[in-house]
């Protein structure tokens, strides 16, 4: 899993694996582009290997090459592995995305295609949206644009601030992301153009 910060979605996935809600999968390594973040503590608490690969000053393709090497060192290979982005605040190169085509998932705190990019919850609030939410999608080189696996809506309340709305969306993220991973691991997802089919 690739992370940059708090790691609450990482924790939700690790917990789902520990409780055997997701079976037949393990998190091989947590890679952070930032040192000292909470996600690294969470990985260690769950006994999962973690590696910091600082991104500052590195070109995208050079950085992604390091990430690919680190994934391979931990047995995560294109064609078999699954790469989960969980609050990983960096774009991935077309080469990296191409090599793991159909095997990278991301969670984003909006109902895509509305409000891609940074501060999605604040974007929704500022726009005056009445419904916000979160999306799990396959990653393509364009930002937050890949085929959608699952979405969950959250009502925007009169008194919401970016913080209160984010907190309510986050609680839904913690359910949605493990569920999407479970469906992937069980081989129930197939991508047909822009649509992701989910087999029962
Ligand atoms: C989550 O809300 C996630 O959806 C968002 O960052 C937060 C990470 O929290 N991701 C993006 O905005 C990606 N564009 P976490 O580190 O506690 O999982």
């Amino acid at each position: 899993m690739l992370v940059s910060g708090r790691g609450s979605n990482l924790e939700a996935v690790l917990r789902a694996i520990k409780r055997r809600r997701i079976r037949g999968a393990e998190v091989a390594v947590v890679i952070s582009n930032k040192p000292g973040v909470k996600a690294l503590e969470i990985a260690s608490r769950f006994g999962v290997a973690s590696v910091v690969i600082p991104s500052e000053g590195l070109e995208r393709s050079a950085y992604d090459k390091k990430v690919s090497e680190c994934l391979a060192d931990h047995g995560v290979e294109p064609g078999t592995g699954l790469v989960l982005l969980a609050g990983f605040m960096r774009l991935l190169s077309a080469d990296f995305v191409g090599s793991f085509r159909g095997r990278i998932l991301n969670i984003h705190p909006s109902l895509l295609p509305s409000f891609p990019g940074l501060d999605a919850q604040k974007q929704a609030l500022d726009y005056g949206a009445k419904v916000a939410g979160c999306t799990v999608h396959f990653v393509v080189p364009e930002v937050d644009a890949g085929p959608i696996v699952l979405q969950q809506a959250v009502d925007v309340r009169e008194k919401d601030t970016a913080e209160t709305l984010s907190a309510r969306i986050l609680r839904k993220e913690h359910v949605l992301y493990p569920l999407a991973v479970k469906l992937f691991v069980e081989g129930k997802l197939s991508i047909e153009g822009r649509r992701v089919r989910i087999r029962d």
Side-chain angles (χ1 to χ4, degrees):
M1 287 185 75
L2 307 192
V3 299
S4 300
R6 178 178 55 189
S8 69
N9 279 291
L10 163 71
E11 184 167 10
V13 171
L14 288 172
R15 193 173 286 153
I17 292 172
K18 193 170 175 192
R19 294 184 178 165
R20 299 185 52 76
R21 291 201 195 110
I22 301 172
R23 291 166 187 246
E26 59 166 348
V27 176
V29 62
V30 171
I31 299 174
S32 173
N33 67 320
K34 300 235 168 78
V37 294
K38 188 145 175 260
L40 295 165
E41 277 170 40
I42 293 168
S44 126
R45 183 149 39 87
F46 279 81
V48 173
S50 63
V51 179
V52 176
I53 307 179
S55 52
E56 234 179 280
L58 272 187
E59 257 184 29
R60 198 172 310 292
S61 57
Y63 184 78
D64 291 0
K65 193 160 173 283
K66 281 176 178 257
V67 171
S68 292
E69 285 165 5
C70 179
L71 290 171
D73 286 347
H74 289 83
V76 183
E77 302 280 357
T80 53
L82 171 63
V83 177
L84 300 178
L85 312 186
F88 183 65
M89 302 313 262
R90 262 185 79 81
L91 297 181
L92 292 165
S93 60
D95 276 354
F96 183 92
V97 173
S99 70
F100 278 94
R101 182 197 292 269
R103 308 192 76 88
I104 310 175
L105 291 175
N106 181 43
I107 184 146
H108 182 75
S110 79
L111 294 176
L112 290 171
S114 293
F115 314 124
L118 293 177
D119 298 325
Q121 307 93 327
K122 182 171 183 302
Q123 288 187 57
L125 210 54
D126 291 350
Y127 195 87
K130 299 294 187 193
V131 180
C134 49
T135 302
V136 178
H137 64 93
F138 282 103
V139 171
V140 296
E142 298 74 32
V143 183
D144 298 329
I148 290 169
V149 179
L150 295 172
Q151 291 187 302
Q152 174 70 55
V154 170
D155 284 338
V156 177
R157 295 178 187 161
E158 283 301 319
K159 290 196 172 150
D160 263 331
T161 61
E163 288 70 33
T164 59
L165 180 59
S166 299
R168 270 203 328 289
I169 294 173
L170 192 64
R171 283 201 289 279
K172 301 292 187 191
E173 294 184 39
H174 296 162
V175 177
L176 206 66
Y177 211 7
L179 178 57
V181 173
K182 177 181 161 71
L183 291 168
F184 183 95
V185 168
E186 291 175 352
K188 292 189 172 161
L189 303 181
S190 58
I191 304 172
E192 290 172 22
R194 276 222 51 90
R195 296 186 71 179
V196 177
R197 303 266 179 207
I198 303 177
R199 265 208 337 270
D200 298 329

